[in-house]
């Protein structure tokens, strides 16, 4: 920093205490994130087997070649991206809509805040079980309701065309609360007097939302979108528990592919290569958003 | 494990330092006390009480209840020995955990493994060989087991697994519904419904009675095992095989597989004798509610239908394609994962537990399984156990999943086969497309060098 300039020299040097306080975190970070990541990267160039000691034979780029040439890898990657496409827009838009509504409620506001956030605290296994019951063919609540109303049954989890949509619906219900809370926090930041002033100028509620609320929430929106995309790209639990990647592999996510080849098939080296490729995809998405946010900040 | 020395006597006001020390001392004491608990032992990386048998299994549902009874039986007979039994989710998740625990030097003393999964575990170096002299000490010898199960469990001529049962795919039938459909003979047994036409006709007659379905069997994901079991039963009756040479070669017979798949599609999609979309629980529930007269499943579901207090019988799956009789099956076995410091006392403790399970074969057979322990299987006690003994012949016609590092119960092989077969039954794939998919997905695994 600029501690060398004369004026600031009198300020105490905080570097050492800062490092001391950071040390526990840095040690854990290196031990459990950086270290394994480097080990994984190294492993991806070897034919490592989980049940044999050591790295195994050097494989060069053959693991990467195999992954890039594998239709299973590409379809799993596409499933993850398709899931991200299906979940991100509703999770952003609905969270904003519900946050706006919950904010406008005059009485019992706590109840609505709690109601939207509550599903988020449930563990994935519980959510999966609840929704598997709802989706059960013939006997489940959803299909019973549909047939009672005279519609034909939907094969929620059994039809390859529907399964991902069903998983997306479950996920939206489950994780909406997180984005909802971020938006609620964003709404608190908007100064009240802006609304008062605009009301005096004759702006209606709809105009206020369009001209004041949404523009002033743009930073929150960017944050919500980036976090949501990354969270959706890392999907694993719901699919693993509810469909195990089926029917007919139509919901196998990229992470489950890595899990399947790495742990079930014992092929750690190949799995490391596949997960490195997934890492590159997530990194690329994050980079795009970083660039866009920078531009946004410059414009503001 | 020693905590720091006793904290100094607390001064009137507890200082920050004092509080910290007291906390540490407390944690130390907790740790000491925790040695006998699994969490404590895990944290301290010490062994669970040496006199305790740690036992892992994968039994849920009715099987889980029976296994608990047998564990209680062991506890009663061995009051001095502790038993810690843990149940995990069936299939790949279970074997993944068992492998990782053994690799991490924290294996259970005894574990359940399917016969068809055991070879891969042996090749990965995760299981102990069971030497004849050790087995003899506990009164076990090769000729005391069902030979089909015992032989299937040998790797390079050596034993690594003690089979406790054979669990074939069977046919459940609702006695009342079948009676109304005219399918019950004078002696109260199900009429012969062998053959493609006869089986479909029987389902049709039952469908007239129930007004909904003739039979049910689970099709939807995540259950891929059920479609595979039904397919394999009929495909093996045609003499078909899928893999050869330890899984390195695909020998799928397109004509035979196509014939079986077309028949399955006829039953579900075209004639709607079976639901074309139903999950495992739903298939069981429809049969239990009398909305179908037949149910195809593993024999273990017997407990569910007994609890439902419904009039049901069990018999062999008919010989639909008329070849020599065959039925998909597997065996549960007990195995001893490799321990870093295995001594004879520990070995005897584990083998004693294994023997105790065999001695309780009656309880296990009541749960539907065909006993592999001949002293019980040949007894009058078992012969009088109905409907369980009605399908005992299935053990000798058992067709196990083909050998291969990616094969066996709940394996990638079954997931690939079952996904494609289930898609045909659901009307989502044609038999030809399913066969093409099976070939392309299996060839990836067949061409991958075995990781073990």
């Amino acid at each position: 920093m600029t501690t060398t300039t004369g004026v600031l020299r009198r300020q105490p040097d905080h570097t050492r205490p800062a490092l001391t306080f950071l040390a526990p975190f840095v040690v854990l970070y290196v031990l459990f994130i950086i270290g394994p990541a480097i080990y994984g990267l190294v492993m991806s160039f070897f034919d490592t087997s989980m049940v044999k000691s050591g790295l195994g034979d050097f494989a060069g780029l053959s693991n990467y070649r195999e992954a890039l040439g594998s239709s299973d890898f590409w379809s799993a990657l596409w499933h993850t991206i398709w899931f991200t496409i299906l979940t991100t827009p509703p999770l952003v838009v609905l969270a904003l809509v519900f946050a706006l509504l919950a904010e406008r409620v005059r009485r019992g506001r706590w109840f609505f805040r709690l109601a939207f956030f509550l599903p988020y605290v449930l563990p994935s296994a519980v959510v999966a079980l609840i929704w598997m019951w709802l989706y059960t063919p013939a006997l489940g609540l959803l299909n019973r309701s549909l047939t009672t109303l005279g519609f034909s049954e939907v094969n929620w989890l059994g039809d390859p065309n529907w399964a991902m949509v069903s998983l997306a619906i479950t996920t939206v219900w489950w994780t909406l609360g997180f984005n909802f809370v971020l938006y609620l926090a964003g709404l608190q930041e908007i100064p009240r007097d802006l609304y008062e002033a605009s009301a005096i100028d004759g702006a209606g509620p709809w105009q206020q939302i369009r001209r004041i609320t949404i523009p002033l929430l743009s930073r929150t929106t960017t944050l919500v979108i980036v976090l949501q995309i990354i969270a959706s790209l890392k999907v694993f639990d719901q699919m693993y528990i509810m469909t195990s990647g089926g029917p007919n592999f139509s919901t196998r996510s990229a992470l489950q592919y890595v899990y399947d080849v790495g742990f079930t098939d014992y092929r750690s080296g190949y799995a490391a290569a596949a997960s490195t490729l997934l890492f590159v995809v997530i990194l690329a998405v994050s980079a795009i958003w970083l660039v866009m946010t920078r531009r946004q900040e410059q414009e503001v | 494990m020693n905590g720091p020395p006793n904290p100094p006597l607390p001064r009137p006001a507890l200082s920050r330092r004092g509080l910290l020390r007291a906390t540490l001392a407390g944690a130390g004491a907790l740790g000491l006390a925790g040695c006998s608990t699994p969490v404590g032992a895990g944290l301290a990386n010490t062994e669970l009480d040496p006199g305790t048998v740690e036992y892992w299994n994968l039994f849920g549902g009715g099987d889980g209840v029976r296994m608990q009874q047998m564990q209680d039986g062991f506890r009663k007979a061995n009051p001095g020995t502790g038993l810690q039994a843990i149940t995990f989710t069936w299939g790949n998740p279970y074997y993944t955990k068992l492998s990782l625990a053994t690799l991490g030097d924290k294996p259970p003393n005894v574990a359940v493994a399917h016969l068809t999964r055991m070879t891969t575990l042996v090749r990965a170096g995760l299981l102990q060989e069971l030497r004849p002299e050790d087995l003899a000490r506990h009164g076990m010898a090769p000729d005391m087991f069902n030979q089909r199960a015992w032989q299937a469990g040998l790797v390079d001529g050596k034993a690594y697994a003690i089979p406790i049962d054979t669990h074939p795919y069977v046919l459940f039938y609702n006695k009342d519904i079948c009676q109304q459909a005219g399918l019950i003979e004078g002696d109260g047994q199900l009429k012969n419904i062998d053959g493609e036409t006869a089986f479909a006709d029987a389902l049709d007659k039952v469908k007239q009675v129930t007004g909904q379905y003739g039979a049910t069997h689970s099709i939807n994901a995540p259950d891929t095992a059920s479609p595979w079991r039904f397919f394999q039963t009929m495909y093996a009756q045609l003499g078909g095989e899928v893999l050869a040479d330890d899984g390195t070669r695909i020998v799928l017979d397109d004509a035979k597989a196509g014939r079986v798949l077309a028949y399955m599609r006829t039953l579900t999609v075209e004639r709607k004798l079976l639901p074309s979309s139903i999950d495992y629980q739903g298939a069981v529930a429809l049969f239990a509610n009398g909305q179908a007269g037949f149910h195809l499943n593993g024999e273990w579901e017997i407990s569910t239908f007994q609890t439902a207090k419904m009039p049901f019988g069990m018999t062999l799956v008919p010989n639909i394609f008329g070849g020599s009789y065959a039925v998909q099956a597997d065996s549960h076995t007990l195995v001893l994962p490799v321990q870093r410091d295995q001594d004879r006392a520990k070995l005897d403790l584990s083998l004693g537990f294994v023997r105790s399970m065999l001695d309780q074969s009656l309880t296990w057979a009541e749960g539907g399984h065909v006993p592999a322990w001949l002293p019980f299987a040949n007894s009058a006690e078992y012969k009088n156990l109905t409907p369980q003994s009605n399908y005992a012949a299935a053990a000798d016609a058992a067709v196990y999943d083909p050998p291969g590092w990616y094969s066996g119960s709940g394996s990638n092989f079954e997931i690939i086969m079952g996904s494609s077969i289930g898609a045909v039954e659901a009307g989502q794939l044609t038999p030809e497309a399913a066969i093409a998919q099976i070939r392309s997905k299996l060839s990836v695994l067949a061409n991958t060098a075995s990781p073990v």
Side-chain angles (χ1 to χ4, degrees), chain A residues 188-204:
Chain A
Q188 312 299 317
E189 304 253 299
I190 301 176
R192 297 284 115 194
D193 39 0
L194 283 179
Y195 292 105
E196 280 162 27
S198 66
I200 291 166
D201 288 344

Side-chain angles (χ1 to χ4, degrees), chain B residues 241-415:
Chain B
E241 292 187 28
V242 184
L243 300 178
D245 299 338
D246 254 346
T248 54
R249 213 154 52 83
I250 301 165
V251 292
L252 189 74
D253 185 321
D254 288 14
K256 287 173 180 168
R259 202 175 144 195
V260 175
L261 288 171
Y263 183 67
M264 293 173 93
R265 190 187 149 88
T266 309
L267 293 181
T268 55
V269 179
E270 281 159 34
R271 298 185 61 182
K272 303 202 185 314
L273 299 172
L274 279 84
S276 58
S277 161
I278 191 80
D279 60 11
Y280 190 97
Q281 303 303 337
V284 170
L286 285 180
F287 177 69
N289 295 343
Q291 286 157 286
F294 289 109
H295 179 63
L296 291 148
N297 205 341
E299 29 67 6
W300 52 81
E301 254 354 290
I302 184 174
S303 309
T304 311
F305 304 129
Q306 280 171 341
T307 314
K309 298 209 188 314
M310 57 179 299
F312 74 98
M314 292 163 78
T315 185
L316 296 172
V317 177
N319 192 344
I320 292 169
F321 284 98
S324 63
Y325 187 70
V327 62
Q328 197 276 348
D330 203 338
S331 291
H332 293 122
T333 71
L334 295 172
V335 297
L336 274 51
V338 169
Q339 306 269 350
R340 193 171 34 178
D341 44 356
Q342 177 80 293
D343 54 22
R344 184 155 161 169
K346 246 186 192 173
L347 180 67
D348 282 333
L349 196 65
S350 304
L351 288 175
F353 176 78
V354 171
R355 178 61 206 259
S356 159
M357 294 294 107
L358 292 173
D359 289 339
Q360 301 182 70
S361 285
L362 172 63
T363 312
W364 199 233
E366 282 171 345
H369 305 294
V370 182
W373 180 237
L374 293 183
F376 173 71
N378 293 333
S379 69
E381 209 177 5
Y382 177 61
K383 298 220 161 62
N384 294 332
L385 189 69
T386 53
Q388 287 92 332
S389 55
N390 292 352
Y391 51 83
D396 300 316
V399 179
Y400 291 92
D401 286 3
W405 66 268
Y406 53 89
S407 176
S409 274
S411 65
N412 292 352
F413 171 77
E414 284 199 349
I415 292 172

